[in-house]
Amino acid sequence: MGFRLEGPVLEGEFVRLEPLAHRHAADLAVAAEEQRGTYAFTWVPRGAEVHDYIDAQSQRAATGRLAPYAQVSLATGRAVGATSFLEPRCWRSEEQLDAVEVGFTWLGASAQGTGVNAEAKLLLFRHAFEAWGVSRVDLKTDARNERSRAAIESVGARFEGVLRNWSRSWAPGEDGRLRDSASFSVTAEEWPRCRKRLEERVAGFAARRD
């Protein structure tokens, strides 16, 4: 049958990643409407669209090629955004995961800059490298999205180039168009350095909080 993505609950100091479900809908509807100025190139539902968004991600999850999460703030107990594992690749064996992407990521405005994103990446990367034993983790974003590119680089991922006409555009007014995607990765060899960097970032947020 081959490898199917199934994401377990992952928990740190700031965030708990829970498999996305309709119980998160009310919180996500609030988070998605807080301030939408940073979502120009990202698929973030309007509040009224959250149930359809969860249904769409659940349908993708049923294929075994997506494991969607709600990002739950431990400070408030509320879902403040979403993220996912996606696109599993098994090259050496149908049962051994060699590479996976982290994407479909967004956070409500009040959760940005609080440590949630850095710790979520730490939890996701650690599970991919240390539980699944992957050789690489991929991240992609619209090549025009400078804010997202900077955030990806800040967690220790390396820029690999721009993939032209790589995927659909989520930018307003660009339905049916394709986007260029900036591609980043972390390899297994780079993971110890990346892990240290992420752990230091999370510790810095914890120190400021305390």
Side-chain angles (χ1 to χ4, degrees), residues 139-143 145 148-149 152 179-184:
L139 303 98
K140 296 184 182 73
T141 189
D142 192 303
N145 193 342
S148 178
R149 291 175 64 158
I152 292 171
R179 76 177 197 190
D180 294 346
S181 292
S183 178
F184 299 80

Side-chain angles (χ1 to χ4, degrees), residues 32-180:
E33 292 291 346
E34 284 181 346
Q35 211 292 337
R36 297 185 62 88
T38 62
Y39 300 152
F41 302 105
T42 305
W43 182 33
V44 180
R46 303 296 314 211
E49 299 168 342
V50 165
H51 283 285
D52 290 340
Y53 168 83
I54 293 173
D55 284 341
Q57 293 297 69
S58 297
Q59 289 170 11
R60 292 181 173 92
T63 69
R65 299 191 59 80
L66 180 82
Y69 282 105
Q71 301 193 67
V72 178
S73 166
L74 294 180
T76 65
R78 298 177 64 86
V80 293
T83 191
S84 298
F85 286 120
L86 64 149
E87 296 300 328
R89 277 104 67 210
C90 302
W91 297 312
R92 292 171 289 185
S93 161
E94 288 188 359
E95 301 298 331
Q96 171 60 46
L97 185 64
D98 288 301
V100 71
E101 186 171 340
V102 169
F104 286 123
T105 300
W106 62 273
L107 281 174
S110 64
Q112 296 173 22
T114 64
V116 167
N117 179 61
E119 188 171 55
K121 293 299 191 295
L122 174 60
L123 295 171
L124 292 165
F125 290 3
R126 186 168 64 197
H127 187 76
F129 285 114
E130 299 179 15
W132 285 335
V134 302
S135 295
R136 61 178 280 145
V137 170
D138 304 329
L139 303 98
K140 296 184 182 73
T141 189
D142 192 303
R144 299 167 293 180
N145 193 342
E146 296 294 338
R147 180 187 180 97
S148 178
R149 291 175 64 158
I152 292 171
E153 289 184 327
S154 76
V155 301
R158 180 180 294 186
F159 175 61
E160 294 185 321
V162 173
L163 304 169
R164 296 178 299 165
N165 289 346
W166 182 255
S167 64
R168 66 171 293 183
S169 173
W170 299 106
E174 294 188 358
D175 290 350
R177 293 178 57 183
L178 298 176
R179 76 177 197 190
D180 294 346

